[in-house]
Amino acid sequence: MGKTYEGGVPLADVVRSGFVEGFHRGSVVVLDVAGAPVAGAGDPTSPIFPRSSNKPMQAIGMLRAGLSLTDRADVALVSASHAGEEFHVERVTALLRGAGLTEEALHCPPDLPVGEAAREAVLRAGGGPRRIQMNCSGKHTGMLLTCLAAGWPVNGYWRPEHPLQQRLTATIEEFTGERAAAVGVDGCGAPVLAVSLTGLARAFLRLVSAEPGTVERTVADAMRAFPELVGGTQADDTRLMRGVPGLLAKIGAEGVIAAAVPGVGAVALKIDDGAGRARMPVLVSALRRLGVEAPVLTEYAEVPLLGGGLPVGAVRPVW
């Protein structure tokens, strides 16, 4: 496998009642508009699993392989880690139905929605886990539809040796500029490829810098036009894309996020312990190094800690 991830450095501390009770370590890279590193910490050049932050590149690969979606909103959904809200489930259902498929064709496991409100609504209604509610069901639906369009077998579409996955691997390697250091099984059952944070940031910069009409620009534009389909009504990457003009962002599991702003630069980071609470404050610190400012960044600059139901501290960036 070659070089392995060495782990990061303290990027955020946890302050309670004025006392530092812990740290979140990780790695981060900041690229300028030309793709050159201008800041970083930890180990941003060794491979990590970006998890769902790879989805925009996978969507590009699907479209190149023949996936045809007439509504840009569906392009956003194929790139999504959706919250399982009703409008997400309805749109995935419509895509499957249009291809003559049911949710049983999906390989992603049955799950409750990841969105808290959507999950509570399902449970109140007496529902339970379903494949279509799983946050990667949009991506898996896109994979199924791509196989049908390309004439590839649907059976085993998630296996690394399948023609679809070979095509998606080549796309990720093209946009990151790196060979995948490892192939793993993501939480949804599809392959996940290991690349560096630098490669991930480079890929996002390429998406937002692409010429209009290209497939990569189509994906970036769809995600930015329909951010609520990419994450959910209250998802962090959704709120970022709503609040920062032109910004493209995608969260990945285990503390990963990548973001890029056209004409400005790109950022990718990983919190080593996978804690989502440290991800956004560090991202804000990184974006501000590129001169990006917006009210939503101020909201995310620190994450409050509660004591007795009242704010008593915060998770804040130290990098």
Side-chain angles (χ1 to χ4, degrees), residues 57 60-61 64 167-180 199 202-203 206 216:
M57 287 83 77
I60 292 168
R64 285 179 170 180
R167 185 69 63 89
L168 302 190
T169 294
T171 304
I172 290 173
E173 291 180 336
E174 173 190 344
F175 278 84
T176 60
E178 300 177 0
R179 292 295 302 271
R202 186 185 301 123
R206 287 188 61 179
E216 52 267 39

Side-chain angles (χ1 to χ4, degrees), residues 68-69 74 90-103 141 145 148:
S68 179
L69 299 170
D74 291 328
E90 288 176 350
R91 187 168 283 275
V92 175
T93 300
L95 282 174
L96 289 169
R97 185 185 299 121
L101 300 172
T102 69
E103 67 178 285
T141 297
L145 270 56
L148 294 176

